[in-house]
């Protein structure tokens, strides 16, 4: 049979819809009923929501003399199992999807009807059609994915990002295609991203200058100060601290909720994972060992005769340095830059976020949220998995399989 024939261009077809309480055997029963009329299957769609099923089958119509009998038989079968049936006549297959295909992921905590209506309206206003909707997760956030056609990705992203901020939801818009599953490197910031803390503030607490350092850190993250200058100024305040404080700081570091799940799941999927930090190797090296990270790079506190000197050594990891390291890690991993994901929260992450194929602003400062490809504003780092099309059920199934 030729490709033209298999597209069913002008062939009479029937849309058979079955709906009611879900239970095993319904799909088999419907197609067993239809098989008696030698129809061909053109398309199938099935959705189950809170135990209620909608099953749609698009099939070629039987000879006209048999169509009435088919309709009666399907309705009789549906009634026998306490389901409802609807059968609609038409021609051919579904209409082709429009050019320009994107996946829109919406994260809500909660996801309200108002927000969903507004996002759907914006998609339509941009010229897009929603072809399919699928729930990725129900906790710790509600995450749904819209398959959209008819509008290019960039204008759709522009149309939705502003609306998302007003509605209190997070929206990610990426081009549909095989490359989404092919993203094989994730690089993230450390302070206030992978971990809940600012490492230099943990050191400063032991030096008795926490408030002074925190003030400079906040200004630097907002982009108000040059990062390298602020780094030297803050580190100078640590001069004279005993090197034993390093172990104390390591024990005080708190991972962001969902961090272990994110990294564990990415590794199972075959991704490589790295971190780049304006913090210090004295902490990132420990995190690399604990979490099984593939790459890690940060600044290094100079220690002489068992004391911190108040200086850093080696290449400074600043805003430009983070983007440079992303490119280096991608080259070492053999991954095109377009297939990388970067995650960060501060102004010094902006170059890295913009250089990556997908830049995710995680609980970020306003200037970062506005510049990144997408933003996540819930305190769970593993929600980034949903932006990659991974469902909560897949994560839990993989965890259960490993425990077995």
């Amino acid at each position: 049979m030729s490709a033209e024939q298999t597209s069913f261009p002008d062939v009479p077809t029937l849309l058979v819809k079955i709906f009611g309480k879900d239970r095993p055997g319904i799909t088999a029963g419907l197609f067993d009923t239809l098989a008696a009329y030698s129809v061909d299957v053109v398309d199938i769609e099935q959705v189950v929501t809170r135990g209620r099923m909608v099953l749609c089958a698009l099939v070629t119509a039987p000879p006209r003399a048999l169509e009435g009998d088919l309709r009666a038989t399907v309705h009789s079968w549906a009634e026998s199992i306490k389901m409802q049936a609807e059968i609609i006549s038409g021609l051919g297959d579904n209409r082709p999807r429009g050019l320009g295909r994107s996946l829109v992921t919406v994260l809500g905590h909660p996801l309200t009807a108002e927000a969903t209506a507004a996002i759907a309206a914006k998609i339509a206003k941009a010229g897009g059609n929603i072809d399919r909707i699928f729930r990725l997760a129900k906790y710790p956030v509600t995450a749904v994915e819209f398959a959209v056609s008819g509008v290019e990705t960039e204008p759709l992203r522009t149309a939705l990002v502003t609306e998302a901020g007003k509605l209190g939801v997070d929206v990610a818009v990426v081009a549909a295609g095989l490359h989404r599953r092919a993203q094989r490197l994730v690089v993230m910031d450390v302070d206030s991203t992978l971990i809940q803390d600012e490492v230099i503030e943990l050191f400063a607490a032991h030096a008795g200058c926490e408030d002074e350092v925190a003030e400079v850190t906040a200004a630097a993250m907002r982009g108000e100060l040059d990062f390298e200058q602020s780094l030297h100024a803050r580190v100078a305040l640590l001069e004279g601290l005993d090197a034993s404080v390093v172990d104390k700081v390591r024990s005080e570091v708190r991972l962001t909720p969902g961090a272990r799940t994110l990294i564990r799941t990415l590794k199972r999927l075959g991704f490589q994972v790295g971190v780049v930090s304006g913090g210090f190797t004295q902490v990132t090296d420990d995190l690399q060992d604990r979490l099984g990270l593939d790459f890690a790079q940060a600044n290094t506190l100079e220690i002489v005769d068992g004391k911190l000197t108040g200086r850093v050594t080696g290449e400074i990891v600043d805003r430009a340095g983070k983007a440079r390291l992303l490119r280096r890690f991608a080259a070492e991993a053999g991954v095109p830059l377009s297939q990388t994901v970067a995650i960060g929260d501060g102004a010094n992450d902006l170059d890295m976020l913009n250089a990556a194929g997908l830049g995710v602003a995680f609980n970020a400062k306003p200037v970062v949220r506005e510049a990144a490809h997408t933003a996540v504003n819930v305190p769970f780092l593993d929600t980034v998995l949903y932006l990659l099309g991974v469902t909560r059920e897949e994560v839990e199934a993989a965890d259960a399989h490993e425990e077995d």
Side-chain angles (χ1 to χ4, degrees):
M1 184 177 290
S2 69
E4 184 178 354
Q5 288 174 305
T6 56
S7 65
F8 305 96
D10 297 311
V11 174
T13 52
L14 299 176
L15 175 60
V16 181
K17 182 167 72 172
I18 305 297
F19 47 100
K21 185 177 180 181
D22 184 39
R23 54 191 178 278
I26 293 173
T27 304
L30 172 62
F31 285 98
D32 186 53
T33 301
L34 294 173
Y37 298 90
S38 300
V39 298
D40 296 329
V41 177
V42 180
D43 196 4
I44 309 172
E45 188 93 23
Q46 180 172 311
V47 177
V48 178
T49 304
R50 211 183 68 177
R52 309 296 291 183
M53 183 186 80
V54 178
L55 169 61
C56 293
L58 186 63
V59 299
T60 55
R64 185 172 298 274
L66 295 178
E67 184 176 328
D69 188 55
L70 179 149
R71 288 173 175 270
T73 301
V74 169
H75 280 286
S76 177
W77 166 79
E79 289 175 7
S80 72
I81 59 170
K82 298 182 180 179
M83 302 285 283
Q84 293 178 273
E86 181 180 0
I87 304 175
I88 303 171
S89 299
L91 287 176
D93 198 350
N94 305 306
R95 63 179 176 81
R97 293 180 63 189
L99 296 177
R101 300 181 184 180
S102 304
L103 296 171
V104 178
T105 306
V106 182
L107 308 180
H109 189 57
L111 179 60
T112 66
E114 178 186 10
T116 306
I119 293 296
K122 278 289 184 180
I123 291 172
K125 188 174 180 180
N129 184 72
I130 299 172
D131 301 312
R132 183 170 300 173
I133 305 175
F134 178 73
R135 187 178 72 180
L136 296 167
K138 59 183 178 180
Y139 70 91
V141 299
T142 300
V144 294
E145 181 179 272
F146 297 76
V148 177
S149 62
V151 59
E152 295 299 328
T153 300
E154 286 305 321
L156 181 61
R157 178 185 292 138
T158 300
L160 293 180
V161 167
T162 302
E163 191 71 20
K166 296 175 182 176
L167 295 167
V169 297
D170 299 326
V171 176
V173 183
V174 298
L178 292 175
H179 65 277
R180 190 193 196 199
R181 286 284 187 173
Q183 289 171 322
R184 287 288 178 260
L185 174 66
V186 174
V187 176
M188 67 188 88
D189 172 47
V190 176
D191 293 11
S192 299
T193 300
L194 178 64
I195 65 175
Q196 300 177 58
D197 313 281
E198 291 287 333
V199 168
I200 196 166
E201 292 178 13
L202 296 179
F203 277 101
H206 292 279
C209 56
E210 184 177 10
D211 291 343
E212 188 175 353
V213 165
E215 183 178 342
V216 178
T217 298
M221 291 301 98
R222 291 193 299 267
E224 298 171 2
L225 294 176
D226 173 80
F227 178 80
E228 184 172 348
Q229 290 177 340
S230 71
L231 175 68
H232 289 304
R234 289 175 290 172
V235 171
L237 296 171
L238 306 181
E239 182 180 1
L241 266 181
D242 193 275
S244 63
V245 79
V246 169
D247 287 334
K248 295 177 182 176
V249 167
R250 286 175 174 174
S251 68
E252 292 166 353
V253 165
R254 300 166 299 162
L255 291 174
T256 297
R260 288 187 183 277
T261 300
L262 172 66
I263 294 169
R264 181 173 65 244
T265 304
L266 290 173
K267 299 290 285 183
R268 287 170 177 165
L269 290 169
F271 283 58
Q272 295 187 61
V273 184
V275 294
V276 290
S277 176
F280 309 111
T281 56
Q282 281 83 357
V283 170
T284 58
D285 288 350
D286 180 61
L287 290 171
Q288 183 174 18
D289 291 341
R290 286 166 53 193
L291 300 173
L293 300 171
D294 300 285
F295 304 98
Q297 189 71 43
N299 300 302
T300 299
L301 291 169
E302 184 180 64
I303 298 176
V304 176
D305 296 330
K307 301 286 185 181
L308 273 66
T309 66
R311 297 186 294 270
V312 292
T313 63
E315 180 183 5
I316 297 297
V317 179
D318 56 8
R319 175 171 170 167
K322 288 189 173 186
R324 184 169 58 250
L325 288 164
L326 171 70
R327 293 185 176 92
R328 182 192 303 173
F329 294 166
E332 292 178 12
V335 173
L337 203 59
S338 62
Q339 294 177 5
T340 62
V341 179
I343 311 168
D345 75 297
N348 65 330
D349 297 314
L350 276 173
D351 289 1
M352 175 178 73
L353 297 179
N354 289 328
L358 176 64
V360 181
F362 181 73
N363 291 309
K365 315 309 183 275
V367 65
V368 182
R369 289 200 304 270
E370 292 169 6
H373 297 131
T374 188
V376 171
N377 294 300
V378 292
F380 312 107
L381 193 57
D382 53 339
T383 55
V384 172
L385 291 168
Y386 310 143
L387 307 183
L388 305 177
V390 180
T391 70
R392 191 75 199 178
E393 288 180 347
E394 290 172 324
V395 174
E396 293 175 350
D399 285 343
H401 179 72
E402 186 170 277
E403 290 173 2
D404 292 342

